Amino acid sequence: MAVDIGMDLGTANVIITIGGKGIVLSEPSVVAYDKKKRKVIAVGTEAYDMIGRTPEYIIAAFPLRDGVISDDYMTEIMVREFIRKVSGNMLVKPRVVLCVPSFVTEVEKRALVETAQLAGARKVYLIDEPVAALLGAGVDITKPQGVMVVDIGGGTTDIAIASFNGIVSAASIKMGGNKMDAAIIRYMHRKYGLMIGEKTAETAKKTLANVFDPDGSEKMFVKGRNVLTGLPGRVEISDLDVHEALSPGIDDIITTIRGVLEKTPPELVGDIHTNGVILTGGGALLGGLDRLITAFVGAPCIPASKPVECVARGVNKAFKHTGELLDGFEKISVYK
């Protein structure tokens, strides 16, 4: 029996759906590689737990950066292992829909397609992330009314306005959760002389982030290595620290939203004032981001239900519309 697999191949997480079953796998996009034995020793959650805790001959790394493949071999191994996990030893190779950020190049698309084919896909479809996000959020994109989506993933932020089966205007920037974590790491080094790891920065972001109205009341201790002494160190930080660290990246997102709105016909901008802005992706969980966008756009900003899974749900729905999508605005590309 043929299996249809939808894959949100994200910079931070891979979420896989199977037609009729929904989401069947959600794990970090991490591969652990043993340089001595020259083989992959762990993928996904198991590899993520190794980050920052391995000897130098074992590398635990993200093979995708900014929404595109940075290591072909590692990505192929990761995709193959995840497909094997969800499909077992099937006799018929699966059809696979892969989600891609807006404005990726043809070379980058081809790399994703070839990776899926090498991992065992029979046929590969590509769908733009904003389109998948809208489908996953349950938005009816067939009506002649403007609807806006802001999808903040691990590597990119994709912003698009759709109406009547068409993308009217869109933009994509390489700003996402990973860049925000890196900004917190730099901030801690600069202000407190403390070197922290990626996982610690991510925890601080999830715990303290308030990009709208921080007041310093939320606090936590952060541990790392003192830059001057090289010894273990610990400092207390507040939501004001995280706000200061994240501000440049959030400003970039707001500026990009402005640019997309400026390219949109006035009638559709009026629709957005009524319909609101749909916020999806892991970035939708940032404290105060919905209120900040509401204040800036002047229209309600509504975080989608389970925003991290939103794109994956949309990818799963894409199979039901394959005929329409191939001829429509969603630009699914088919490679045989």
Side-chain angles (χ1 to χ4, degrees), residues 189-213:
H189 184 279
R190 183 178 68 250
K191 183 172 181 178
Y192 294 107
L194 191 73
M195 181 62 68
I196 64 173
E198 293 178 14
K199 292 171 74 174
T200 301
E202 184 182 18
T203 299
K205 178 185 68 180
K206 290 180 176 179
T207 305
L208 297 179
N210 182 346
V211 299
F212 185 64
D213 57 355

mmCIF file of all heavy atoms in Angstrom, residues 189-213:
data_model
loop_
_atom_site.group_PDB
_atom_site.id
_atom_site.type_symbol
_atom_site.label_atom_id
_atom_site.label_comp_id
_atom_site.label_asym_id
_atom_site.label_seq_id
_atom_site.Cartn_x
_atom_site.Cartn_y
_atom_site.Cartn_z
ATOM 1 N N HIS A 189 27.571 37.184 26.520
ATOM 2 C CA HIS A 189 29.028 37.324 26.442
ATOM 3 C C HIS A 189 29.436 38.778 26.605
ATOM 4 O O HIS A 189 30.379 39.101 27.337
ATOM 5 C CB HIS A 189 29.507 36.770 25.102
ATOM 6 C CG HIS A 189 30.998 36.774 24.936
ATOM 7 N ND1 HIS A 189 31.699 37.904 24.561
ATOM 8 C CD2 HIS A 189 31.927 35.795 25.116
ATOM 9 C CE1 HIS A 189 32.995 37.616 24.493
ATOM 10 N NE2 HIS A 189 33.149 36.338 24.831
ATOM 11 N N ARG A 190 28.693 39.656 25.925
ATOM 12 C CA ARG A 190 29.050 41.075 25.930
ATOM 13 C C ARG A 190 28.752 41.753 27.268
ATOM 14 O O ARG A 190 29.576 42.493 27.796
ATOM 15 C CB ARG A 190 28.283 41.787 24.804
ATOM 16 C CG ARG A 190 28.623 43.266 24.661
ATOM 17 C CD ARG A 190 27.859 43.898 23.505
ATOM 18 N NE ARG A 190 26.423 43.979 23.764
ATOM 19 C CZ ARG A 190 25.511 43.263 23.141
ATOM 20 N NH1 ARG A 190 25.877 42.374 22.225
ATOM 21 N NH2 ARG A 190 24.223 43.404 23.432
ATOM 22 N N LYS A 191 27.579 41.494 27.825
ATOM 23 C CA LYS A 191 27.163 42.221 29.028
ATOM 24 C C LYS A 191 27.658 41.575 30.321
ATOM 25 O O LYS A 191 28.062 42.295 31.252
ATOM 26 C CB LYS A 191 25.639 42.337 29.068
ATOM 27 C CG LYS A 191 25.138 43.142 30.262
ATOM 28 C CD LYS A 191 23.642 43.427 30.186
ATOM 29 C CE LYS A 191 23.200 44.257 31.395
ATOM 30 N NZ LYS A 191 21.759 44.587 31.327
ATOM 31 N N TYR A 192 27.630 40.252 30.369
ATOM 32 C CA TYR A 192 27.940 39.583 31.630
ATOM 33 C C TYR A 192 29.246 38.780 31.596
ATOM 34 O O TYR A 192 29.637 38.211 32.611
ATOM 35 C CB TYR A 192 26.787 38.640 32.019
ATOM 36 C CG TYR A 192 25.515 39.363 32.348
ATOM 37 C CD1 TYR A 192 24.428 39.351 31.470
ATOM 38 C CD2 TYR A 192 25.384 40.072 33.541
ATOM 39 C CE1 TYR A 192 23.245 40.013 31.776
ATOM 40 C CE2 TYR A 192 24.203 40.739 33.847
ATOM 41 C CZ TYR A 192 23.145 40.704 32.963
ATOM 42 O OH TYR A 192 21.979 41.365 33.278
ATOM 43 N N GLY A 193 29.909 38.738 30.429
ATOM 44 C CA GLY A 193 31.155 37.973 30.350
ATOM 45 C C GLY A 193 30.934 36.497 30.605
ATOM 46 O O GLY A 193 31.811 35.812 31.150
ATOM 47 N N LEU A 194 29.774 35.994 30.221
ATOM 48 C CA LEU A 194 29.427 34.597 30.449
ATOM 49 C C LEU A 194 29.168 33.908 29.108
ATOM 50 O O LEU A 194 28.369 34.381 28.306
ATOM 51 C CB LEU A 194 28.177 34.494 31.331
ATOM 52 C CG LEU A 194 27.836 33.098 31.863
ATOM 53 C CD1 LEU A 194 28.826 32.704 32.963
ATOM 54 C CD2 LEU A 194 26.411 33.072 32.415
ATOM 55 N N MET A 195 29.865 32.808 28.868
ATOM 56 C CA MET A 195 29.652 32.043 27.650
ATOM 57 C C MET A 195 28.642 30.944 27.937
ATOM 58 O O MET A 195 28.863 30.103 28.819
ATOM 59 C CB MET A 195 30.973 31.412 27.178
ATOM 60 C CG MET A 195 30.844 30.615 25.890
ATOM 61 S SD MET A 195 30.322 31.638 24.477
ATOM 62 C CE MET A 195 31.784 32.664 24.262
ATOM 63 N N ILE A 196 27.531 30.971 27.217
ATOM 64 C CA ILE A 196 26.486 29.958 27.417
ATOM 65 C C ILE A 196 26.273 29.173 26.131
ATOM 66 O O ILE A 196 26.691 29.601 25.047
ATOM 67 C CB ILE A 196 25.148 30.589 27.877
ATOM 68 C CG1 ILE A 196 24.589 31.522 26.784
ATOM 69 C CG2 ILE A 196 25.324 31.338 29.187
ATOM 70 C CD1 ILE A 196 23.187 32.042 27.087
ATOM 71 N N GLY A 197 25.625 28.018 26.235
ATOM 72 C CA GLY A 197 25.380 27.177 25.074
ATOM 73 C C GLY A 197 24.044 27.473 24.417
ATOM 74 O O GLY A 197 23.219 28.237 24.937
ATOM 75 N N GLU A 198 23.825 26.838 23.266
ATOM 76 C CA GLU A 198 22.605 27.067 22.492
ATOM 77 C C GLU A 198 21.354 26.641 23.269
ATOM 78 O O GLU A 198 20.327 27.329 23.233
ATOM 79 C CB GLU A 198 22.676 26.300 21.168
ATOM 80 C CG GLU A 198 23.740 26.812 20.207
ATOM 81 C CD GLU A 198 23.801 25.986 18.935
ATOM 82 O OE1 GLU A 198 22.861 25.203 18.681
ATOM 83 O OE2 GLU A 198 24.777 26.126 18.186
ATOM 84 N N LYS A 199 21.445 25.509 23.951
ATOM 85 C CA LYS A 199 20.274 25.016 24.672
ATOM 86 C C LYS A 199 19.914 25.933 25.835
ATOM 87 O O LYS A 199 18.735 26.159 26.128
ATOM 88 C CB LYS A 199 20.530 23.592 25.165
ATOM 89 C CG LYS A 199 20.633 22.582 24.036
ATOM 90 C CD LYS A 199 21.101 21.223 24.513
ATOM 91 C CE LYS A 199 20.029 20.486 25.260
ATOM 92 N NZ LYS A 199 20.451 19.102 25.591
ATOM 93 N N THR A 200 20.942 26.482 26.505
ATOM 94 C CA THR A 200 20.689 27.422 27.601
ATOM 95 C C THR A 200 20.041 28.700 27.074
ATOM 96 O O THR A 200 19.103 29.233 27.678
ATOM 97 C CB THR A 200 22.004 27.766 28.329
ATOM 98 O OG1 THR A 200 22.578 26.569 28.847
ATOM 99 C CG2 THR A 200 21.763 28.739 29.474
ATOM 100 N N ALA A 201 20.540 29.186 25.933
ATOM 101 C CA ALA A 201 19.963 30.396 25.326
ATOM 102 C C ALA A 201 18.504 30.155 24.930
ATOM 103 O O ALA A 201 17.645 31.022 25.131
ATOM 104 C CB ALA A 201 20.786 30.803 24.105
ATOM 105 N N GLU A 202 18.220 28.978 24.384
ATOM 106 C CA GLU A 202 16.850 28.659 23.985
ATOM 107 C C GLU A 202 15.928 28.612 25.203
ATOM 108 O O GLU A 202 14.794 29.098 25.156
ATOM 109 C CB GLU A 202 16.824 27.315 23.262
ATOM 110 C CG GLU A 202 15.445 26.942 22.728
ATOM 111 C CD GLU A 202 15.431 25.590 22.050
ATOM 112 O OE1 GLU A 202 16.365 24.792 22.264
ATOM 113 O OE2 GLU A 202 14.469 25.326 21.303
ATOM 114 N N THR A 203 16.429 28.050 26.306
ATOM 115 C CA THR A 203 15.629 27.997 27.537
ATOM 116 C C THR A 203 15.326 29.397 28.047
ATOM 117 O O THR A 203 14.192 29.695 28.471
ATOM 118 C CB THR A 203 16.373 27.194 28.624
ATOM 119 O OG1 THR A 203 16.588 25.860 28.156
ATOM 120 C CG2 THR A 203 15.570 27.149 29.915
ATOM 121 N N ALA A 204 16.329 30.283 28.011
ATOM 122 C CA ALA A 204 16.126 31.666 28.449
ATOM 123 C C ALA A 204 15.098 32.366 27.572
ATOM 124 O O ALA A 204 14.244 33.119 28.068
ATOM 125 C CB ALA A 204 17.455 32.425 28.421
ATOM 126 N N LYS A 205 15.153 32.104 26.271
ATOM 127 C CA LYS A 205 14.192 32.707 25.332
ATOM 128 C C LYS A 205 12.773 32.257 25.639
ATOM 129 O O LYS A 205 11.846 33.071 25.724
ATOM 130 C CB LYS A 205 14.584 32.338 23.903
ATOM 131 C CG LYS A 205 13.635 32.855 22.830
ATOM 132 C CD LYS A 205 14.033 32.328 21.456
ATOM 133 C CE LYS A 205 13.821 30.831 21.355
ATOM 134 N NZ LYS A 205 14.208 30.303 20.025
ATOM 135 N N LYS A 206 12.608 30.953 25.819
ATOM 136 C CA LYS A 206 11.266 30.410 26.068
ATOM 137 C C LYS A 206 10.725 30.861 27.426
ATOM 138 O O LYS A 206 9.518 31.063 27.588
ATOM 139 C CB LYS A 206 11.305 28.882 26.008
ATOM 140 C CG LYS A 206 11.534 28.323 24.615
ATOM 141 C CD LYS A 206 11.565 26.800 24.636
ATOM 142 C CE LYS A 206 11.703 26.221 23.237
ATOM 143 N NZ LYS A 206 11.771 24.733 23.246
ATOM 144 N N THR A 207 11.612 31.019 28.396
ATOM 145 C CA THR A 207 11.176 31.341 29.756
ATOM 146 C C THR A 207 10.905 32.826 29.954
ATOM 147 O O THR A 207 9.924 33.209 30.614
ATOM 148 C CB THR A 207 12.241 30.889 30.776
ATOM 149 O OG1 THR A 207 12.512 29.498 30.590
ATOM 150 C CG2 THR A 207 11.775 31.124 32.213
ATOM 151 N N LEU A 208 11.746 33.682 29.359
ATOM 152 C CA LEU A 208 11.701 35.108 29.692
ATOM 153 C C LEU A 208 11.253 36.033 28.565
ATOM 154 O O LEU A 208 10.984 37.212 28.825
ATOM 155 C CB LEU A 208 13.091 35.568 30.165
ATOM 156 C CG LEU A 208 13.644 34.923 31.434
ATOM 157 C CD1 LEU A 208 15.040 35.475 31.725
ATOM 158 C CD2 LEU A 208 12.723 35.189 32.621
ATOM 159 N N ALA A 209 11.178 35.538 27.351
ATOM 160 C CA ALA A 209 10.909 36.449 26.229
ATOM 161 C C ALA A 209 9.588 37.198 26.404
ATOM 162 O O ALA A 209 8.539 36.605 26.602
ATOM 163 C CB ALA A 209 10.898 35.674 24.913
ATOM 164 N N ASN A 210 9.686 38.516 26.348
ATOM 165 C CA ASN A 210 8.527 39.406 26.309
ATOM 166 C C ASN A 210 8.932 40.582 25.433
ATOM 167 O O ASN A 210 9.648 41.476 25.877
ATOM 168 C CB ASN A 210 8.141 39.887 27.707
ATOM 169 C CG ASN A 210 6.908 40.785 27.687
ATOM 170 O OD1 ASN A 210 6.479 41.257 26.631
ATOM 171 N ND2 ASN A 210 6.334 41.041 28.852
ATOM 172 N N VAL A 211 8.505 40.555 24.174
ATOM 173 C CA VAL A 211 8.967 41.554 23.207
ATOM 174 C C VAL A 211 8.063 42.773 23.152
ATOM 175 O O VAL A 211 8.304 43.682 22.360
ATOM 176 C CB VAL A 211 9.092 40.930 21.798
ATOM 177 C CG1 VAL A 211 10.097 39.797 21.797
ATOM 178 C CG2 VAL A 211 7.736 40.430 21.293
ATOM 179 N N PHE A 212 7.041 42.808 24.018
ATOM 180 C CA PHE A 212 6.103 43.940 23.975
ATOM 181 C C PHE A 212 6.253 44.882 25.167
ATOM 182 O O PHE A 212 6.485 46.077 24.995
ATOM 183 C CB PHE A 212 4.667 43.421 23.903
ATOM 184 C CG PHE A 212 3.638 44.512 23.742
ATOM 185 C CD1 PHE A 212 3.626 45.291 22.596
ATOM 186 C CD2 PHE A 212 2.700 44.758 24.726
ATOM 187 C CE1 PHE A 212 2.681 46.306 22.435
ATOM 188 C CE2 PHE A 212 1.755 45.762 24.584
ATOM 189 C CZ PHE A 212 1.751 46.536 23.428
ATOM 190 N N ASP A 213 6.129 44.363 26.383
ATOM 191 C CA ASP A 213 6.178 45.243 27.555
ATOM 192 C C ASP A 213 6.894 44.593 28.739
ATOM 193 O O ASP A 213 6.301 44.391 29.796
ATOM 194 C CB ASP A 213 4.763 45.666 27.960
ATOM 195 C CG ASP A 213 3.872 44.460 28.247
ATOM 196 O OD1 ASP A 213 4.328 43.307 28.032
ATOM 197 O OD2 ASP A 213 2.724 44.663 28.700
#
